[in-house]
Amino acid sequence: ETGVTQTPRHLVMGMTNKKSLKCEQHLGHNAMYWYKQSAKKPLELMFVYNFKEQTENNSVPSRFSPECPNSSHLFLHLHTLQPEDSALYLCASSQAAGSYQPQHFGDGTRLSIL
Amino acid sequence: AQKITQTQPGMFVQEKEAVTLDCTYDTSDPSYGLFWYKQPSSGEMIFLIYQGSYDQQNATEGRYSLNFQKARKSANLVISASQLGDSAMYFCAMRESTGTYKYIFGTGTRLKVLA
């Protein structure tokens, strides 16, 4: 496998459920990112991990909880979500968060909250 | 203040013709990087081209070129010889060197290539 892989591709959940999004990169990168993409809005950065350390939390509500066990894997744990959290969630990786290297993105998880 | 502005929500271009997608940016940082990404309907963001603020020449990657005008703070993407597969959303993004790890994205331009 190459590139950035996200699972699941689609997720429908109720507001009281707990689920997790998974991201895995096979590019040898050291930085990983979570973005939220809503219709007609710019891509919103949620979290950044650089060498497994969280370096950015862009005022994300606590119902989103990231986890980065190693440089290749990134999770986004979800609980008690709201309807406005329905969006495409994109994971990305890059060589290092402080460089000008381009980010490589996964296909995203399309999340729908009932 | 919006740091990346893409003023064209939608564009049409005839197949085999060239098209320019506009991007202006705002920063006081002398060092920064500019990126263009393509997002087909499948959702994946595909990196196209990069321009560094200190680069003397405009970046080119195959059919993609970046018209970088530093004084005007613009970084327009030029796609030559458009193909039907170029139909997608296109995003301009910037990374500053101010110690944060944020890539700032514009709202995107939807390009439709006509046969």
Side-chain angles (χ1 to χ4, degrees):
Chain A
E1 286 190 65
T2 58
V4 180
T5 304
Q6 287 186 246
T7 54
R9 289 297 309 275
H10 302 273
L11 179 62
V12 180
M13 58 187 286
M15 289 192 284
T16 58
N17 291 157
K18 289 185 179 181
K19 296 285 184 183
S20 295
L21 309 185
K22 180 182 175 182
C23 176
E24 185 174 359
Q25 59 97 359
H26 303 274
L27 300 168
H29 290 165
N30 295 305
M32 297 189 78
Y33 311 77
W34 279 117
Y35 286 90
K36 176 184 179 183
Q37 188 176 30
S38 305
K40 299 182 180 178
K41 292 177 72 174
L43 218 59
E44 299 173 58
L45 179 67
M46 300 175 73
F47 302 103
V48 180
Y49 279 82
N50 198 29
F51 293 92
K52 298 189 300 178
E53 298 297 321
Q54 187 181 127
T55 53
E56 291 281 346
N57 177 339
N58 203 25
S59 302
V60 180
S62 59
R63 57 186 184 267
F64 295 92
S65 174
E67 179 189 0
C68 188
N70 54 61
S71 293
S72 299
H73 294 86
L74 184 66
F75 296 90
L76 188 62
H77 303 299
L78 317 171
H79 66 96
T80 326
L81 294 192
Q82 304 299 308
E84 62 264 29
D85 297 325
S86 297
L88 180 68
Y89 289 84
L90 289 163
C91 173
S93 69
S94 69
Q95 286 283 3
S99 69
Y100 290 135
Q101 296 297 315
Q103 296 174 309
H104 295 257
F105 286 81
D107 289 342
T109 294
R110 189 161 296 282
L111 177 65
S112 298
I113 306 300
L114 301 179
Chain B
Q2 202 164 354
K3 292 212 168 188
I4 295 286
T5 303
Q6 294 181 253
T7 57
Q8 307 153 313
M11 290 278 288
F12 290 94
V13 64
Q14 206 66 37
E15 194 178 8
K16 299 180 185 177
E17 293 189 351
V19 63
T20 298
L21 306 183
D22 294 342
C23 174
T24 57
Y25 59 92
D26 181 28
T27 181
S28 56
D29 197 331
S31 177
Y32 50 90
L34 297 160
F35 306 82
W36 276 93
Y37 289 87
K38 171 185 178 183
Q39 188 179 37
S41 55
S42 58
E44 181 188 4
M45 296 278 276
I46 302 166
F47 166 69
L48 296 177
I49 195 167
Y50 163 78
Q51 179 83 45
S53 60
Y54 293 118
D55 292 343
Q56 296 296 313
Q57 294 191 328
N58 288 344
T60 60
E61 287 287 347
R63 295 187 297 111
Y64 304 108
S65 60
L66 204 151
N67 184 2
F68 182 45
Q69 298 187 46
K70 194 170 181 177
R72 297 180 58 186
K73 293 187 176 178
S74 75
N76 298 339
L77 177 71
V78 180
I79 305 174
S80 62
S82 297
Q83 301 172 357
L84 296 177
D86 294 333
S87 295
M89 282 289 288
Y90 288 82
F91 292 92
C92 180
M94 177 174 65
R95 160 90 171 85
E96 295 171 305
S97 70
T98 50
T100 69
Y101 301 117
K102 293 182 179 181
Y103 290 74
I104 303 162
F105 285 77
T107 52
T109 295
R110 183 172 297 281
L111 177 67
K112 176 71 175 174
V113 180
L114 305 173

